């Protein structure tokens, strides 16, 4: 164990059971070793919602995850983010002004009249978008429950506006039997979002993506399938549909971690997700040949490091650390959208 990790353990001891450190699967190894719970976005949001006896939650992940914990935690709890600048480029692709504009354009179209649109936002979005979603009768989803949430949304309306990740939306729609011609991409920069007609349309996909998962290509999958006959390919659903279609397994980070464990000894499996997780899957499964489909690092996840975690704990002890701000006017509606998701779990 590194010296700084021992120092962090000492600070953890001082804070005792009042402290809960949550860490996403994409965090650096040193952080993962010290976190009280590691998980996917859904598992960590649930852990924050269920954290009894805890006063301080330190979230090692990106901002939307820390914000979600701040929405879900009790009023007497505080959430801290060791690096408040660690955002998510995908979440940035759906700014509130553009979302409000899209909603207003769509709902005032003549061909919208007899329709009812329900917003569904991926967890990977800013808190105000979760608030907007809650206010308009929609729900949050994560990569582990997108189908459940979209199935539910179709009991509430007949058209879903899904943001910000068009790939998770499209991959989920395929599982639900929604056809390509029943989907349209909403391009915020085009007049009318680039949508000519809503007739027969069930799903509107916001034009957003994850740069980390866009690095995995059909060529990568074809290459490994050709050169390593019998190998398996496991991917995250933020990958483009053409890549997901060729994969042997698809799912959230926790799903991928669990799925790989039971594979027969010596199976060669190529994983298409963030490199820190793939490295850990390699270490944790010495009975397998786990490989990266391609090396792809999430730079914002990487911004959280042991020094920042240590400083955050010291400041919590000194009572000088700033908690993740969550204004009441956002929290109320965002909580509705998150609770709708949790109720479906
Ligand atoms: P998971 O919910 O699968 O952990 O995904 C979060 C994420 O940011 C993937 O890019
Ligand atoms: Fe955002 Fe992609 Fe990083 Fe996940 S991997 S936090 S979606 S940029």
């Amino acid at each position: 164990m590194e010296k700084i990790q021992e120092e962090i353990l000492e600070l953890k001891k001082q804070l005792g059971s009042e402290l809960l450190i949550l860490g996403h699967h994409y965090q650096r190894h040193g952080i993962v070793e010290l976190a009280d719970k590691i998980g996917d976005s859904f598992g960590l949001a649930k852990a924050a919602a269920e954290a009894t006896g805890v006063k301080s939650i330190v979230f090692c992940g990106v901002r939307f995850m820390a914000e979600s914990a701040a929405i879900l935690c009790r009023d007497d709890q505080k959430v801290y983010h060791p690096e408040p600048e660690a955002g998510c480029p995908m979440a940035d692709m759906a700014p509130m002004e553009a979302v409000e504009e899209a909603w207003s354009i769509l709902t005032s179209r003549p061909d919208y009249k007899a329709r009812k649109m329900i917003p569904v936002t991926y967890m990977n979005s800013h808190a105000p978008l979760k608030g907007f979603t809650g206010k308009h009768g929609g729900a949050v989803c994560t990569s582990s429950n997108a189908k459940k949430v979209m199935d539910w949304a179709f009991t509430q309306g007949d058209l879903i506006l899904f943001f910000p990740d068009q790939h998770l939306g499209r991959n989920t729609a395929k599982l639900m039997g929604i056809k390509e011609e029943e989907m349209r991409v909403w391009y915020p920069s085009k007049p009318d979002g680039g949508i000519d007609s809503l007739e027969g349309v069930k799903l509107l996909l916001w034009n957003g993506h994850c740069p980390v998962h866009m690095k995995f290509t059909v060529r990568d999958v074809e290459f490994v399938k050709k050169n390593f006959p019998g190998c398996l390919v496991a991917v995250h659903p933020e990958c483009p549909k053409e890549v997901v279609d060729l994969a042997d397994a698809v799912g959230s980070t926790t799903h991928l971690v669990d799925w790989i464990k039971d594979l027969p000894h010596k199976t060669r499996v190529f994983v298409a997700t963030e490199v820190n997780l793939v490295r850990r899957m390699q270490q944790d499964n010495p009975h397998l040949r786990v490989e990266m489909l391609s090396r792809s690092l999430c730079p914002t996840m990487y911004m959280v490091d042991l020094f920042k975690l240590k400083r955050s704990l010291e400041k919590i002890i000194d009572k000088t650390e700033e908690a993740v701000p969550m204004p009441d006017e956002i929290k109320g509606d965002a909580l509705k959208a998150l609770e709708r998701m949790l109720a479906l779990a």
Side-chain angles (χ1 to χ4, degrees):
M1 186 164 277
E2 286 178 57
K3 185 165 171 282
I4 186 165
Q5 285 184 301
E6 282 164 10
E7 290 163 356
I8 291 172
L9 279 180
E10 198 44 51
L11 297 168
K12 276 186 79 174
K13 225 185 264 167
Q14 284 185 46
L15 285 158
S17 59
E18 289 183 1
L19 170 74
L20 176 69
I21 301 182
L22 299 176
H24 187 263
H25 285 301
Y26 293 166
Q27 288 290 290
R28 298 161 188 248
H29 187 65
I31 300 265
V32 167
E33 284 185 319
L34 295 177
D36 298 305
K37 184 173 168 59
I38 292 295
D40 61 8
S41 305
F42 179 72
L44 296 177
K46 218 163 164 279
E50 291 167 359
T52 45
V54 168
K55 277 195 185 156
S56 306
I57 299 173
V58 175
F59 209 119
C60 298
V62 289
R63 193 183 310 126
F64 72 79
M65 297 178 175
E67 280 180 351
S68 301
I71 295 163
L72 285 163
C73 72
R74 294 191 318 263
D75 289 344
D76 61 333
Q77 294 174 315
K78 296 236 176 309
V79 176
Y80 302 99
H81 190 198
E83 175 46 277
E85 290 301 310
C88 164
M90 179 204 279
D92 296 342
M93 290 175 198
M96 259 338 283
E97 316 74 61
V99 168
E100 302 263 14
E101 192 188 348
W103 189 264
S104 137
I105 291 173
L106 282 162
T107 51
S108 49
R109 289 174 66 113
D111 56 356
Y112 179 75
K113 278 211 178 73
R115 309 293 303 266
K116 181 148 194 262
M117 183 159 66
I118 303 295
V120 173
T121 188
Y122 191 19
M123 182 73 97
N124 304 23
S125 56
H126 297 308
L129 179 47
K130 292 188 178 74
F132 174 93
T133 301
K135 191 165 93 191
H136 290 278
V140 172
C141 75
T142 71
S143 55
S144 65
N145 57 28
K147 181 175 177 309
K148 246 187 220 170
V149 174
M150 279 168 72
D151 281 336
W152 167 84
F154 278 124
T155 66
Q156 309 296 303
D158 61 359
L159 176 64
I160 293 177
L161 177 54
F162 187 95
F163 11 55
D165 186 17
Q166 60 164 297
H167 301 288
L168 176 65
R170 189 176 293 110
N171 288 321
T172 309
K174 190 188 167 196
L175 297 177
M176 296 167 70
I178 298 175
K179 301 188 194 85
E180 237 351 280
E181 58 271 24
E182 293 171 325
M183 301 179 224
R184 295 283 186 283
V185 176
W186 174 272
Y187 297 94
S189 55
K190 291 190 184 175
D192 286 336
I195 292 179
D196 49 351
S197 162
L198 287 180
E199 213 185 304
V201 176
K202 291 184 177 166
L203 178 60
L204 295 168
L205 301 165
W206 193 266
N207 182 29
H209 64 267
C210 163
V212 176
H213 288 88
M214 291 306 284
K215 292 221 177 108
F216 305 108
T217 64
V218 167
R219 261 178 72 171
D220 293 334
V221 183
E222 286 174 350
F223 178 84
V224 298
K225 290 267 176 188
K226 183 166 169 240
N227 288 285
F228 303 96
C231 75
L232 300 177
V233 174
V235 307
H236 193 276
E238 288 172 15
C239 292
K241 178 178 169 294
E242 297 71 22
V243 171
V244 172
D245 284 349
L246 295 174
D248 301 285
V250 53
S252 76
T253 51
T254 292
H255 175 82
L256 297 177
V257 167
D258 292 342
W259 176 82
I260 208 169
K261 279 187 199 140
D262 299 325
L263 293 176
H265 277 227
K266 294 210 173 0
T267 304
R268 193 187 288 274
V269 51
F270 289 86
V271 185
T273 196
E274 209 271 348
V275 59
N276 283 284
L277 174 55
V278 185
R279 278 211 200 102
R280 230 174 36 262
M281 287 165 108
Q282 285 170 330
Q283 282 159 12
D284 295 347
N285 297 281
H287 61 295
L288 303 173
R289 295 172 188 164
V290 181
E291 320 235 12
M292 298 164 198
L293 185 64
S294 163
R295 190 183 178 284
S296 192
L297 178 128
C298 176
T300 50
M301 282 278 181
Y302 202 67
M303 285 168 77
V304 179
D305 63 23
L306 288 168
F307 292 96
K308 290 171 186 168
L309 174 58
K310 181 177 169 221
R311 195 184 51 204
S312 185
L313 296 182
E314 285 166 345
K315 286 168 86 181
I316 292 171
I317 291 169
D318 286 356
K319 302 201 185 326
T320 55
E321 179 65 316
E322 279 184 39
V324 174
M326 193 47 61
D328 284 345
E329 61 274 21
I330 294 174
K331 184 166 173 155
D333 285 329
L335 188 58
K336 277 188 217 158
L338 278 161
E339 282 180 339
R340 283 185 192 124
M341 171 187 81
L342 291 172
L344 293 165

